[in-house]
Amino acid sequence: MAIYDIAIIGGGINGSGIARDASGRGLSVLLAEAADLASGTSSASTKLIHGGLRYLESYDFRLVAEALAEREVIWAMAPHIVWPLRFVLPHAAGARPAPLIRLGLLLYDYLGSRRLLPGSRALDLRSDPAGAPLRAGLRRAFEYSDCWVDDARLVVLNAVDAARRGADVRVRCEVVRAGREGGHWTIELYDRVAGRTSTVAARVLVNAAGPWVGEALASRIAGSGRSRARLVKGSHIVVPRLFAHERAYIFQNPDRRVVFAIPYERDFTLVGTTDVDFTGDPRGIAASPDEIAYLCASVSAWLAKPVAPADVVWSYAGVRSLYDDGSSAAQEVTRDFMLELDGAGGEAPVLSVFGGKITTYRRLAEAAMERLAPWLPNAGKAWTRGAVLPGGDFPVDGIEALVASLYREHPELPAGLVHRLARAYGTRAGELLAGSRSLTDLGHRFGADLTEREVAWLVREEWARTAEDILWRRSKLGLRFTPTEQRDLEGWLAAHLGALAARTG
Ligand code: FAD
């Protein structure tokens, strides 16, 4: 039976980040994901690498400072899928007082460890283009920096890098049960595709099951303690583009929450989020009609042209598994991560991950390795700060140069496709396109600009197995696919997956 140094339950951002960190320290790693990589909360976020301006109100300065410091670190690690975004915060009577906001933003600037991101400033909405889509009568706004990230691709790139460094990444592989035996963990796995069960062993176990962290503790990991998870659901809607410029808005709601409206996938605007206490199984959850109505009303209160539920072209929901700190309101529960270690008296340890943010996943992985160090004496030093992710080996301001060089090599390809591939795969886009001169060389075209070449790449290099994996996580081409095109892709995968996946090994 194979013995791993570390077995990880869950291929979300935290499990994949820990797998990457641990394999880069020379450890043998198993990452088991029951469904697809990023199929849980990590593809359902607001997709911001941010400090969280609103956490300043709860005096969470350490959390904000640590998260802010990660912005430029993560941007430099993956400049193809991470980029700076300016946020416009309009001010109106009845909202938080302007001097308080100005002070908060100065603190945000000060805590932010910024080298490249510009600081905050005040705007006059009567002359600034950011005022154009807003309702009449608004005069003042503030503007500040955070970063945007393709959350699902960040997860996949961490898993790809972990695998390159030797991790055994298994998708559609569920951890059914884990029990302590002879100083290590014996773990039963169920391969959902092959329908087979197998057993492995590991010195340490990491429970990074996201919203299932409590379920894993309660019914899969033998002898583990009571869970302190508090599940909070958040939903987003996507509507046709609401404004022409490239900045995002952060709107203040009368309930003191904030709602974002963010430029999304060129032709759309992403609006979110909600905070609703949640019970039940988070698999397959969706935005409720009430949440959709709430989000539409929230942005409509600030815009000249209202947004209605009928405008919504797509919506999604995710569940945070926060550490229950006893707060009454869902939006007040700390977003900080909590690592709970259970391994008293020389037992094989299990480390459970609660809460956290996409933004701080790299730091969480480092903290997890520090906590597990006594059981992993052969682990190398921390290394991920400054280590680029696959395709990210180009300067943070180099995306246009990368697009131009790809275009020079493939002048017959549509400019939009070249740009999308550069954004998705960074410097690896050249590898994906190798030997192709025209669109015909890329094989069958399924819909939008998705070709057979890219689908084969996603199966071979990124563990994609279904149309949903490809259209909603490896890309967001689902926004542009018709139902017929989706069926065509599903049919093609059914016919070719076996051969393609076999080549993956
Ligand atoms: P998940 O991504 O849920 O991963 C857990 C994985 O475990 C799942 O894929 C699941 O299939 C797998 N799993 C479960 N049980 C088993 C089992 N038995 N065997 C094998 N696999 C199993 N953070 C930010 O930094 N910026 C944001 O803008 C932001 N916005 C957010 C907005 C919303 C609405 C929400 C809900 C969260 C947001 N977050 C944001 C927080 C961030 O998304 C989460 O902290 C993060 O995605 C959690 O990742 P995870 O890996 O812990 O969990």
Side-chain angles (χ1 to χ4, degrees), residues 9-15 32-36 38-42 44-50 173-175 208-212 215 220 232 234-236 273 283 318-320 353 355-359:
I9 308 174
I13 191 60
N14 290 325
E33 164 51 51
D36 182 28
S39 56
T41 314
S42 297
S45 81
T46 312
K47 304 172 204 312
L48 303 180
I49 300 289
H50 65 156
C173 175
E174 179 182 340
V175 172
W212 296 269
E215 187 255 7
R220 293 175 193 260
V232 177
S235 295
H236 291 81
T273 179
R283 192 70 69 192
V319 173
R320 303 171 196 265
V353 174
K357 296 159 64 65
I358 302 267
T359 307

Side-chain angles (χ1 to χ4, degrees), residues 131 330 349 400:
E400 291 313 326

Side-chain angles (χ1 to χ4, degrees), residues 152-315:
R153 291 205 58 74
L154 185 69
V155 175
V156 170
L157 294 187
N158 274 275
V160 168
D161 204 38
R164 279 181 175 183
R165 296 170 193 276
D168 182 357
V169 177
R170 301 195 198 178
V171 297
R172 298 188 158 84
C173 175
E174 179 182 340
V175 172
V176 180
R177 216 194 108 75
R180 292 182 172 101
E181 212 174 280
H184 60 255
W185 287 96
T186 299
I187 302 158
E188 193 186 319
L189 302 169
Y190 177 65
D191 180 330
R192 290 182 171 179
V193 177
R196 265 197 308 267
T197 302
S198 62
T199 305
V200 296
R203 280 176 244 289
V204 309
L205 182 65
V206 172
N207 174 11
W212 296 269
V213 66
E215 187 255 7
L217 283 170
S219 52
R220 293 175 193 260
I221 304 171
S224 53
R226 192 177 76 86
S227 161
R228 297 265 294 165
R230 175 165 174 181
L231 302 184
V232 177
K233 178 188 177 197
S235 295
H236 291 81
I237 56 174
V238 173
V239 294
R241 192 170 179 143
L242 295 175
F243 41 88
H245 61 78
E246 291 302 328
R247 286 173 282 177
Y249 291 99
I250 170 169
F251 295 129
Q252 303 180 70
N253 254 12
D255 60 8
R256 297 199 58 82
R257 296 189 65 260
V258 293
V259 169
F260 293 102
I262 303 171
Y264 189 58
E265 296 289 321
R266 201 183 63 229
D267 301 318
F268 303 93
T269 301
L270 176 67
V271 176
T273 179
T274 55
D275 274 303
V276 187
D277 272 313
F278 181 83
T279 48
D281 184 0
R283 192 70 69 192
I285 53 157
S288 71
D290 280 355
E291 288 177 292
I292 292 174
Y294 170 89
L295 291 171
C296 289
S298 298
V299 285
S300 297
W302 291 91
L303 296 175
K305 191 168 165 282
V307 177
D311 300 327
V312 173
V313 295
W314 184 50
S315 64

Side-chain angles (χ1 to χ4, degrees), residues 97-178:
L100 185 72
I101 292 175
R102 193 76 199 101
L103 188 69
L105 287 173
L106 287 174
L107 198 58
Y108 209 69
D109 284 343
Y110 171 75
L111 291 171
S113 314
R114 287 175 306 113
R115 284 184 313 114
L116 299 170
L117 291 170
S120 61
R121 63 179 184 131
L123 294 183
D124 185 341
L125 290 174
R126 291 166 299 184
S127 54
D128 191 287
L134 300 179
R135 69 172 149 85
L138 294 171
R139 296 169 53 178
R140 278 182 96 176
F142 301 96
E143 191 187 276
Y144 67 95
S145 293
D146 268 325
C147 287
W148 166 262
V149 63
D150 183 330
D151 52 3
R153 291 205 58 74
L154 185 69
V155 175
V156 170
L157 294 187
N158 274 275
V160 168
D161 204 38
R164 279 181 175 183
R165 296 170 193 276
D168 182 357
V169 177
R170 301 195 198 178
V171 297
R172 298 188 158 84
C173 175
E174 179 182 340
V175 172
V176 180
R177 216 194 108 75

